[in-house]
Amino acid sequence: MQNKLMTAELKAFLISIGSVSIDPSLVPFALGSTAGPGAGTSSVFFRSGKRRVRLSINKDSPLSIENVGEDGTFSLFMEGEELVRGTLEPALAHCPEQAFITLCERCIFDCKYCPVPKLQGHVKSNKEVLDIVDDVFRTGNLKAISLTSGVENSVQGEVDRVLKLLPALKKYNVPIGVSVYPTEGCSKQFYEAGVSEVKYNVETMDPGIFKQVCGDLSLAYILKKLEEAVGIFGKNRVFSNFIIGLGESDSAVRDGVETLAKLGVIPILRPINPHPLRAGACFAERPSRERLLKLAKMEKAILVKYGLNSGLAKTMCLRCTGCDLVPFVDL
């Protein structure tokens, strides 16, 4: 096979499947997720050229990864047909080249697509967080620090948790990104403490779906805090996860992306990852390759209209690119 690099179309196809089977001997490359809809799953990062894709490990997946060369080359196969060659990237802390850390793996909110409230995982101490950052730093590959969190007791408690950590993280001299549920004044506090970028997630921009799946939260409040954050951090430094596959229409996605972009916020169109612990709790369907490509191209055109560029991100999901089709990077 000619050694072709991953195209945007192929990445969209891989994301639409979302999983891969892999030989147990390659398990050292795998890592677990503790945040959001993908919590409780293990995954690998496959890179080909400038594109990277993150796939959860599933022995029944139609995709498979095999080692095809002693030089560290791996191939992705679809039911025995080789699709592309590339490399597997190690990720000590959630994704390559970052210490991307979930501080609290619990949540008092009950978003219907998210397994975190059911899993009720670990809450890391400050020492554990700093040890993880140190581990990544010692590899020589630390290019960013990203902090996210569920909500153990209160949203203010999670903001305070981040603020207490920031002074010890500045010594690494890399960009710092923070993704939490926002509180009054938190953007200014984060900025003054040295944070480079923030991500406050709308989850969905369809008000009816938001009320159904995230009824304990307020979409209007999140939008207000996103707008405030842009006034503090500036364009291209404020992001928001926008889940695709909760039953929203393409026109609702377009309107939602335009609303966010008009505020100066870059949406991250995140394919839903249906979780067994949430089976039947709400509509959740992995979007098709065709839909992913269509929406990503639509988003890029809107970002251009408002002078935004997701390729400039320094931290978090847009720096990683593994889970999404990212305008200005993938297409």
Side-chain angles (χ1 to χ4, degrees):
M1 166 184 167
Q2 186 179 354
N3 190 11
K4 295 181 179 179
L5 300 179
M6 189 189 306
T7 62
E9 291 73 18
L10 178 56
K11 181 174 177 180
F13 174 67
L14 299 175
I15 292 174
S16 72
I17 295 175
S19 65
V20 69
S21 65
I22 190 167
D23 189 285
S25 67
L26 302 179
V27 166
F29 283 97
L31 72 154
S33 176
T34 57
T41 60
S42 295
S43 61
V44 292
F45 285 90
F46 182 88
R47 187 179 188 95
S48 173
K50 69 176 184 178
R51 295 185 177 89
R52 167 190 291 147
V53 66
R54 176 181 180 264
L55 299 169
S56 62
I57 296 174
N58 179 355
K59 63 181 180 61
D60 298 319
S61 174
L63 295 175
S64 62
I65 290 178
E66 296 182 18
N67 190 340
V68 294
E70 294 183 359
D71 61 348
T73 301
F74 294 82
S75 278
L76 258 171
F77 292 86
M78 173 69 176
E79 297 178 340
E81 178 186 353
E82 189 173 22
L83 301 179
V84 65
R85 294 192 178 192
T87 58
L88 290 183
E89 293 187 286
L92 288 182
H94 189 69
C95 68
E97 301 179 332
Q98 295 189 55
F100 200 151
I101 303 167
T102 304
L103 306 181
C104 171
E105 300 165 21
R106 302 179 183 180
C107 197
I108 60 174
F109 297 116
D110 189 31
C111 295
K112 301 305 180 184
Y113 52 82
C114 182
V116 171
K118 302 290 187 182
L119 293 168
Q120 288 297 298
H122 180 56
V123 180
K124 296 180 180 68
S125 67
N126 285 5
K127 182 181 184 305
E128 286 177 284
V129 173
L130 297 175
D131 284 348
I132 292 170
V133 178
D134 260 342
D135 287 343
V136 181
F137 178 74
R138 284 195 293 269
T139 69
N141 291 320
L142 180 65
K143 296 182 180 178
I145 297 169
S146 300
L147 304 177
T148 187
S149 190
V151 180
E152 183 182 16
N153 297 307
S154 70
V155 291
Q156 185 60 53
E158 301 309 319
V159 170
D160 293 342
R161 194 192 304 272
V162 171
L163 289 170
K164 288 176 183 177
L165 278 164
L166 290 174
L169 298 177
K170 292 171 68 174
K171 69 177 183 181
Y172 294 99
N173 198 31
V174 296
I176 300 172
V178 171
S179 177
V180 294
Y181 191 81
T183 61
E184 295 298 326
C186 71
S187 291
K188 183 179 180 182
Q189 289 178 295
F190 289 150
Y191 184 79
E192 291 176 348
V195 171
S196 302
E197 299 171 334
V198 291
K199 180 161 71 73
Y200 306 146
N201 297 331
V202 294
E203 312 300 358
T204 178
M205 286 291 287
D206 183 307
I209 295 176
F210 186 95
K211 184 176 180 180
Q212 176 191 356
V213 302
C214 294
D216 296 330
L217 306 177
S218 169
L219 180 57
Y221 178 82
I222 298 168
L223 289 171
K224 179 183 176 182
K225 295 306 159 190
L226 283 166
E227 184 175 17
E228 288 178 3
V230 174
I232 294 168
F233 288 89
K235 282 187 173 184
N236 298 311
R237 297 290 170 248
V238 180
F239 319 127
S240 188
N241 280 10
F242 185 152
I243 298 174
I244 305 299
L246 291 173
E248 71 292 324
S249 66
D250 288 354
S251 61
V253 176
R254 174 181 290 276
D255 291 345
V257 169
E258 181 121 22
T259 296
L260 289 165
K262 193 179 297 185
L263 296 176
V265 177
I266 297 179
I268 300 167
L269 301 185
R270 172 62 47 81
I272 186 66
N273 186 33
H275 197 284
L277 289 177
R278 286 302 195 172
C282 66
F283 181 88
E285 181 177 272
R286 195 85 175 169
S288 68
R289 160 178 48 185
E290 292 78 14
R291 188 177 189 215
L292 288 169
L293 281 166
K294 175 185 176 182
L295 295 180
K297 291 175 181 178
M298 172 273 293
E299 181 189 6
K300 183 175 182 180
I302 292 174
L303 294 181
V304 169
K305 176 181 175 181
Y306 290 98
L308 298 170
N309 185 341
S310 47
L312 299 178
K314 300 176 181 179
T315 69
M316 298 184 285
C317 301
L318 289 178
R319 175 61 187 260
C320 173
T321 76
C323 296
D324 319 292
L325 275 182
V326 178
F328 302 99
V329 177
D330 293 316
L331 74 164

